[in-house]
Structure formats: structure tokens, C-alpha cells
Amino acid sequence: MSNKAIIAMSGGVDSSVAAYLMKEQGYDCMGITMKLFDNDDIGISNEKACCSIKDVEDARSVANSLGIPFHVFNFAGDFNEQVIDRFIHAYENGETPNPCIDCNRFMKFEKLMTRAKQLDVDYVVTGHYARIEYDEKSGRYLLKKGIDETKDQSYALHTMTQKQLAHTHFPLGELRKDEIREIAAEKGFINAKKRDSQDICFVRDGDYVGFIQQYTGKKYKGGNFIDGNGKVLGKHDGLIRYTIGQRKGIGLSFNKPMYVGDKDIENNTVTLCENAKLFSKSLTARDFNWISCEQPEEPIRVKAKIRYNQKERWATAKQTPSGLVSVEFDEPQRAIAKGQAVVLYDGDVVVGGGTIC
């Protein structure tokens, strides 16, 4: 295997330091910025999202300071199809998607890796806070949490295949964020103090409803809020506006706190409930990707998490004959939402993950 590596450079400090570390390790590096969309086309100012001219120039500046070639690859068409369209389709079907997972799956470790092969480059490198190790005993590549637990991104990488793990490097996995910024400052990188990107990169100010309506040109039909017995409580403004566990923004007043407990696409209703009704011990997941092991024949004990910023909890996971994976938690979990990912862990090792259905 050669020592050529493509570095996915977003213009941020993390990917910039990743490029520096790979060059220091003796790799023949090429900096790449993936142009995923035109900000003007989706109504976002250049200051509010990635893919701006400023981001590209920051990435180019760091690449130039490192003495490595730099290019911009236009993947906007693929991003629209594989990330934005999936994001909208999920909301339209009552799910709560995580587009960062789709971006990793379809863009960074599929499209970019394919481009790397075309360029006769063996490795794709990103600034993710995660680790990859080869386990001699099992003969498998392991995806592990990053050392910095406050920045760990292994949850959003659970779709990675053995082949992709074999051709990927995460040089930041053994470092903490403050160490990353120190390196960037020492090297004089233009983005050493640049703030981290927040929320969904293609959604302005977190207003995903406004984005979906502007992007699709659709006006989503209102319907009824109901209780668990089907009693009408009021009118909602379209199912895409509500997520499981939501309290604010319902627009109704009650003598006790009420939350979104369910969404019925067929009948266009939103069920409201008290907080206690949001807790459940069971879920099923589709599109499950086993990483640290082959598909298990027997139930396995793991820790599992159902959202990015949650601590994992003890559970039992089992592959079902239908191809789905069932997860039974030891203790009830709040607001399990269809469309989000459930990711299984054995210590700091990612066992696998899938989409809650």
C-alpha cells in the first residue's frame, strides 16, 4: 500500500491539524475541500455555513503553508440526492433524521473514497474524533471512541465498512480539542481560533422547517393534535414541525406539561402525552452495520445510545429473522425517535449501529 492520502479539509481547525499530522508522519498528502452545495441556492449566507468561499480559502491557506497540493471537488449533485433529499424524505415520513451520518456514509467514505481510488490514493483522512485499530485476533478493523469524550464522533461513523476502515485515518483520535488548537496556533494556521461549526451545515440558524419549505416549495398541511385516546386537543401546523419529546412550539396551553409522543403520517395527527409516556425500553433498527463482529447468532450484552449527545446505557441486542435488530434496554429511555441512530458499544469499541424504525 502506498503512503498517498487525501485530506478532507473543511476550512476548520480540526481537518487542518489532521493534514499537518499526516504530513509529519511522512504521508504524501493532498488537501481536498468537498463543495457540497451552493449557499445562495439554499438561502444561506456565506457566514452561516460550510462550503463558503471563506472556508475554501482557509483550507487552501493551510494547505499552502504545509506545502501540499489543494483542490476543490464539486459533489453538490450527490449531496443533494444522498443527504438533503434523504433529510427531507425522513421528516415527511415522520422520522427525525441525522444528516451528518448520511454525509459521512455517502459523501466522505463513499464518494470521496471512490475519487481517491481514481487518483491512485490509498487513504482518506478526516478530522473526526475517533480511532481505528486492527484487531489481530478477530481479523477485523475496529472503530473506537476518540480520547476526548466531549468531542467523540464515533456515533456518527457507525456505517463504516471494514473496507472503508482499512483505507481511512483519523489522526485526531488520540488528541483533545485544546491540544488541536495549540498545534494550530503553533503552526500559525489562519483558522487556529475559528469557532466550530454548529447544527446542520445546510440549515440556516437551525430552522429546518423553513429550509424544507423553501427547498421543496411545499406548504405542509395542518391537522389535529390528539391525546392517547384519540381526543382532539387542537390543530397542528404540519407534521414536519414536530419531533418526539418536543414541548416548546406546540402552541397549546395545558394545566400540565405535554409533549409530542407520536406522529401518524396516514391520519396526519400528532399525539401529545405526559412526560412519563415518553419512556420505552425497546426499539428495532434497520440498515444495521456490524463492525467489531459478524452478525451475532445469539443475543449480546452491550451499551447503546439513541442520540449523539447521550451517554450509552446497558441493553441486550438481537438480530431478528426479518433482518432488523432489536434492542432491549435495562432501563426505559426517553423519547426514542424513528430516524435517529442506535449505536452499540463494548467499552470504547463500536459494535455496530443502525437506524431506529
Side-chain angles (χ1 to χ4, degrees):
M1 214 175 261
S2 75
N3 71 335
K4 294 181 179 179
I6 277 181
I7 320 296
M9 301 181 70
S10 65
V13 65
D14 292 334
S15 56
S16 297
V17 172
Y20 163 75
L21 293 173
M22 292 302 291
K23 187 183 179 189
E24 285 294 292
Q25 292 174 33
Y27 284 86
D28 181 4
C29 298
M30 176 192 300
I32 297 296
T33 291
M34 302 173 69
K35 185 170 179 57
L36 302 177
F37 52 81
D38 293 315
N39 291 330
D40 291 340
D41 289 348
I42 59 174
I44 298 180
S45 68
N46 284 340
E47 292 76 21
K48 292 291 185 179
C50 67
C51 298
S52 69
I53 294 175
K54 177 68 165 61
D55 289 324
V56 173
E57 290 310 310
D58 285 351
R60 190 189 306 277
S61 170
V62 172
N64 288 342
S65 72
L66 293 174
I68 65 174
F70 175 81
H71 303 281
V72 177
F73 291 166
N74 190 343
F75 289 137
D78 294 312
F79 188 80
N80 287 345
E81 177 183 352
Q82 300 290 3
V83 180
I84 295 180
D85 288 352
R86 289 174 184 273
F87 173 80
I88 293 171
H89 182 265
Y91 268 114
E92 290 180 336
N93 284 274
E95 297 187 344
T96 304
N98 188 325
C100 294
I101 292 174
D102 283 340
C103 186
N104 287 331
R105 178 181 182 181
F106 296 108
M107 305 309 299
K108 295 183 179 72
F109 302 112
E110 186 172 301
K111 296 297 180 182
L112 187 57
M113 194 159 280
T114 297
R115 184 66 64 88
K117 291 178 183 177
Q118 294 170 349
L119 295 170
D120 194 30
V121 174
D122 281 315
Y123 296 104
V124 167
V125 179
T126 71
H128 284 103
Y129 287 80
R131 294 174 291 158
I132 298 171
E133 293 181 6
Y134 182 72
D135 180 43
E136 295 282 354
K137 185 176 179 180
S138 66
R140 298 180 71 87
Y141 286 89
L142 304 180
L143 174 63
K144 304 179 74 173
K145 293 179 182 179
I147 293 297
D148 190 339
E149 292 187 1
T150 66
K151 292 293 182 180
D152 170 54
Q153 293 171 300
S154 59
Y155 174 86
L157 297 165
H158 73 266
T159 63
M160 292 188 72
T161 66
Q162 286 293 302
K163 187 174 182 180
Q164 290 168 346
L165 290 167
H167 292 272
T168 302
H169 284 299
F170 296 140
L172 306 191
E174 300 285 349
L175 299 173
R176 301 185 182 279
K177 185 69 180 193
D178 56 352
E179 296 176 291
I180 301 300
R181 290 203 181 276
E182 287 176 9
I183 292 171
E186 289 174 2
K187 300 304 169 185
F189 291 168
I190 193 172
N191 52 17
K193 295 183 179 180
K194 190 174 184 177
R195 68 184 182 90
D196 294 339
S197 59
Q198 301 292 326
D199 299 320
I200 301 168
C201 67
F202 56 86
V203 175
R204 177 175 53 193
D205 299 326
D207 182 13
Y208 73 90
V209 175
F211 167 78
I212 293 174
Q213 291 184 149
Q214 181 267 332
Y215 189 85
T216 63
K218 296 179 182 178
K219 182 172 176 58
Y220 292 88
K221 183 181 177 182
N224 290 328
F225 283 117
I226 62 174
D227 65 13
N229 297 317
K231 179 184 176 181
V232 175
L233 303 175
K235 297 291 184 180
H236 70 69
D237 297 324
L239 290 182
I240 67 167
R241 296 179 179 274
Y242 309 99
T243 58
I244 304 302
Q246 176 181 337
R247 180 184 177 188
K248 295 181 179 179
I250 292 175
L252 299 176
S253 179
F254 301 96
N255 59 8
K256 55 188 174 184
M258 296 291 280
Y259 303 82
V260 174
D262 192 22
K263 299 190 290 183
D264 185 333
I265 297 296
E266 184 176 350
N267 295 305
N268 195 28
T269 58
V270 177
T271 300
L272 302 181
C273 65
E274 295 181 56
N275 187 61
K277 295 288 187 180
L278 291 173
F279 287 81
S280 174
K281 294 178 70 174
S282 303
L283 65 82
T284 54
R286 66 177 188 265
D287 300 329
F288 208 89
N289 179 47
W290 296 99
I291 298 178
S292 67
C293 61
E294 297 287 349
Q295 177 179 307
E297 296 182 0
E298 301 294 332
I300 59 172
R301 289 289 287 169
V302 292
K303 283 191 172 182
K305 60 193 295 187
I306 57 172
R307 54 183 62 89
Y308 173 75
N309 58 356
Q310 181 200 49
K311 191 72 176 175
E312 58 266 22
R313 305 299 183 189
W314 279 108
T316 299
K318 180 176 67 174
Q319 184 77 46
T320 71
S322 66
L324 301 177
V325 169
S326 67
V327 179
E328 183 79 13
F329 287 93
D330 290 5
E331 301 293 336
Q333 304 299 302
R334 186 182 184 277
I336 298 175
K338 290 183 288 187
Q340 288 287 288
V342 57
V343 178
L344 313 181
Y345 289 87
D346 178 8
D348 61 356
V349 174
V350 177
V351 177
T355 303
I356 298 170
C357 60

